[in-house]
Every structure is written in structure tokens, then in C-alpha cells.
Amino acid sequence: MENMLEKKLVELRNLLHKGELTCLEVVQACLERIKVTEPEINAMLSFNEEKSLEEAGRMDDLGPDPQKPLWGVPITIKDVICTKDFPTTCGSKILENYRPCYEATLVEKLRDAGAIIIGKNNMDEFAMGSSTENSAFKTTRNPWNLERVPGGSSGGSAAGVAARQCFASIGTDTGGSIRQPASFCGITGLKPTYGRVSRFGLVAYGSSLDQAGPMTRSVADAALMTQVISGYDPRDSTSASLPVPDFSAELARRSDLKNVRVGLPREHWEEGLAPEVLEVCQEAVQAARSAGATIVDIDLPHSDYGIAAYYIIAMAEASSNLARYDGVKYGVREAGRDLLEMYCQTRSKALGEEVQRRIMIGTYVLSAGYYDAYYKKAAQIRRLILQDYQKAFDKCEVIFSPVVPTTAFKIGENIDDPLQMYLTDIFTTSQNLAGLPGLTIPAGLGRPSNMPVGIQIIGPAFEEGLILQTGNILEKILPELGRPAGLA
């Protein structure tokens, strides 16, 4: 079938179930696309052609299974999530060639739903970064413009979905790492509520912030993927014991935005936005108004402190979580005259500059004498930010916000300026601190850059259904971006 790779996941799934396509045809098409596009975009860290084709052939022999909603659909996984069939490197030399002896719960759920995992995506080392330039192995490029970054840290997943290498990918979001690259690459990305998706098998960066979620080409695809990977997991103590709604069915229950109040936080719309981002996001707000939504102004008064609180908490948790990579328990080990020197040599040579920076800052803010001044204060701000959102949701059902202040920046532009790089997360980190769900959908192409601009839809905790409904309606009104301009 021509243009098979241009289909959305749900469309492809239906064709597979009707027998109009075979799993083998689809997997072969994705693998060929990977071979053609990889030299240009570097989205993958590993893929297994032989095993993927073997699995597809076996599924064709058994025939379509209507009980499996992702039957035969090729999917890729960010390399920070444990898989048995592939290495799990976290984009770091210290875990090069590491193969876990178990799989993440969400990977098990995808396989149970019939998905074919064809490979692992490039990422910033241990999910620390906003551009995928911090990978120890290669720099991923944006399919819309190969001189620009795809965003981070799930940049490999976003670039792969945009470049038609797969029909969906799983990313992780600690401070915006699903939503920001989704915006830069013109795709859909959902960070679910903290606890909605099990973190068992997700290599920890900031344990109280990390959340896995889908990266897709449409809201309907994101709804289906979220439904598959969500649910209580007794192996994750932070997993929420709540029923999982039928997100796909909920999309059909709303055809407009009447009786939906959309809140616009003044703090996100007043300063610091590139003119082209502001213009596209304002057009998205106007589209929501034309669909029946009522627009209301709201305040998030502690927003200005969000990014500082986020980086203190995230780095503090990272310094603790990454203590396990000492040359003894995992992967790479450098020689030393004694145990301490072996630790120092291993961590100095096998961890990247950004990871070392965050470990050192995290250790500092947790140290005696500084804990109250930094970590305790950041934790207090986190509580105030959550209260801001709770008050805001008394006035509105959902909140619209830009995702990133600019379109995708050039490779190397911010790599020597960590503070400027951290500020690209200014509109996304506060939802992680509050544990709230956020959805990015493409809103249009910026002028004059001709690069994608996304808009973010934020909802109350465990209201993924509401933000998916809102995004689904908006998606139908907003202009389609078409194919990435940077690839053949």
C-alpha cells in the first residue's frame, strides 16, 4: 500500500485488523525508513531487524487478534526504559551495552497489546537536557530542519515519530521532556498525571517528577497509547490505584468546547515569548473560542519560582539516584589504585559533563548547612505551585499555555550556556512539580522560521480524558503541518 507510513496509528491498526496490510509489510516499511533517514537524523540507538521481522511473521501466521488494540503496530522506546531485547544505555557510556534482565511494566503492557518493539531511541544522557545534544553517542537532528535540535530529552523519540520511522514512541517527562520535543518536531506528546503510568523499569532521574507517556502523530493515537500503558502496578509504590477510563471512547463524547472554560495564565503569556510563537498560540486560543470555549484570565503567582525549584529538586534526586553508577554494580569500570580512585575515575570518564554538573549541584543543595536554604525552600515552593493550580481550576476546566518560548534552536546554540538551556523548560516544569497532566499538540508553523509550534493543554490530576477531548477538537480545527520539510 502506498503511503503506508503516512497513516496515523489508529488508521494503521484498523487496516491490520481488516487484513488489508500484514505485520511483515508494516515492519519492513519502518525498517527501510529507518535505514534511509537515520544517517540524517540519528534518532535511534539500537534496532533489531531480524527479531522484529521474525515477530511480525509469527503474528501474521496467528492472524489479527481483536483483543489486542496495538496488534502489529511498530513502536519505539526511549532508551531510559528497560527492555530485554535491546540494550538500555540511558544515552550514557556508563551503561553502554547494558542489558536489563527484566522489562518495564509499560513495555510488558505494550507487548500484551500486540505492539512490536522495533528499537530504542536516542536521548540526553540520563534524560538530562533539552536538546538531545547531551547523548554520549550522537546528536539527534530535527526532521523539519537538520541544523536544529529536536528538543530533549526525548528528542530521539520525537524525531523518529516525525520522520515516519515508527507509528508511536514512548518518551519520559521529568520537566517537559515529552512536551518540549513534541512541540519542536510537530507531533503530539502527553505527560500523564504522576502515578497514572507505572515507573517500574524506568531508570530514575528525578523520582518524584519522572513520568512516561506517548509521543504520536495525533490525539486519537495518544489516547489509545495512554489507555494501554496506564494502570495500577504493585511493583511501583507511587502507582495510583485508580480505574483507567476508556480514553479513545471519551474522545467521541465531545464534539465542541461549549461549557469549557479555558484559563490563560497571565504569567505564561506576557513576556519572553518569541513573536512567532505568540502569534501561533494566539491563533490556537482563537480556534478554541470559535469551537465554543470561554476564555478566562487566571493567575499562577508562583510561576516565576518554578524553574528554580524544579532544578533544585531534580538535581537533588539525581545526585541520589545516580550514586549507584560507581563502577561496581553496572557497566563500565575504570582502573584505580584503590576503591576511591576507581570510583572517581569511573564516574569522571563515563559520565558526561551535564550529568556531573547536576550531581555536584544536587549534592551541594542536600549537604549539611545548605539543605534548609535550598532543598527545603524548593519543596515549599512546590507546594505553593500546586495550590496555585488548584485555585486556578476553580475558575476553569483546562489551561492553555505555550510549550516553549521559541521554536527549535540551532544545534550548538545553547550547549555552552546551561542556564539558557534550562530556561527552555520554563512553561513545562511546574506541571511536573504539581504532578499534573499536560498535552502538547501542533498548533502551526512559526513565521518566519517555518518550524513547528505547539500549544500545551493542562488539566487537573487524572483528567487526561478532558485534555485529550480538548486537544482532539482543537486538532480538527488547527492547520495540519504536513511532512517534515528537512527530509526527503
Side-chain angles (χ1 to χ4, degrees), residues 76-288:
T76 61
I77 305 284
K78 185 178 180 180
D79 207 27
V80 74
I81 298 169
C82 290
T83 45
K84 279 183 178 176
D85 293 342
F86 304 90
T88 298
T89 69
C90 299
S92 177
K93 288 285 184 186
I94 207 162
L95 287 178
E96 191 171 11
N97 300 320
Y98 168 66
R99 282 181 180 264
C101 59
Y102 65 96
E103 284 199 313
T105 298
L106 72 88
V107 176
E108 291 178 349
K109 285 175 177 281
L110 289 170
R111 291 192 194 279
D112 290 345
I116 300 176
I117 312 297
I118 60 171
K120 304 292 287 288
N121 289 113
N122 194 25
M123 55 178 284
D124 283 308
E125 186 174 8
F126 285 104
M128 298 181 189
S130 302
S131 63
T132 315
E133 292 170 287
N134 291 331
S135 168
F137 303 107
K138 50 185 163 182
T139 296
T140 300
R141 296 175 179 271
N142 192 316
W144 286 87
N145 182 332
L146 300 177
E147 294 181 356
R148 294 179 183 262
V149 303
S153 61
S154 305
S157 295
V161 172
R164 278 57 171 169
Q165 291 184 343
C166 59
F167 289 87
S169 183
I170 297 292
T172 63
D173 193 313
T174 305
S177 290
I178 287 176
R179 293 160 288 159
Q180 188 247 36
S183 178
F184 278 3
C185 291
I187 66 166
T188 301
L190 172 65
K191 183 200 91 67
T193 309
Y194 184 78
R196 173 67 90 185
V197 177
S198 171
R199 292 186 305 110
F200 179 80
L202 193 169
V203 178
Y205 159 28
S207 304
S208 72
L209 304 159
D210 298 335
Q211 185 62 78
M215 306 184 78
T216 61
R217 292 189 219 145
S218 76
V219 174
D221 295 352
L224 178 58
M225 289 284 287
T226 306
Q227 195 174 331
V228 167
I229 64 175
S230 295
Y232 174 66
D233 180 8
R235 295 179 292 184
D236 174 5
S237 63
T238 61
S239 175
S241 180
L242 291 171
V244 178
D246 186 339
F247 295 123
S248 296
E250 287 197 4
L251 295 186
R253 295 197 184 107
R254 185 180 284 276
S255 59
D256 57 41
L257 295 178
K258 290 176 183 172
N259 301 318
V260 174
R261 292 167 299 171
V262 173
L264 301 185
R266 291 184 180 86
E267 297 80 2
H268 289 200
W269 290 85
E270 289 181 342
E271 295 179 358
L273 280 175
E276 62 177 352
V277 173
L278 180 60
E279 181 185 10
V280 173
C281 288
Q282 285 176 334
E283 289 170 357
V285 172
Q286 184 56 39

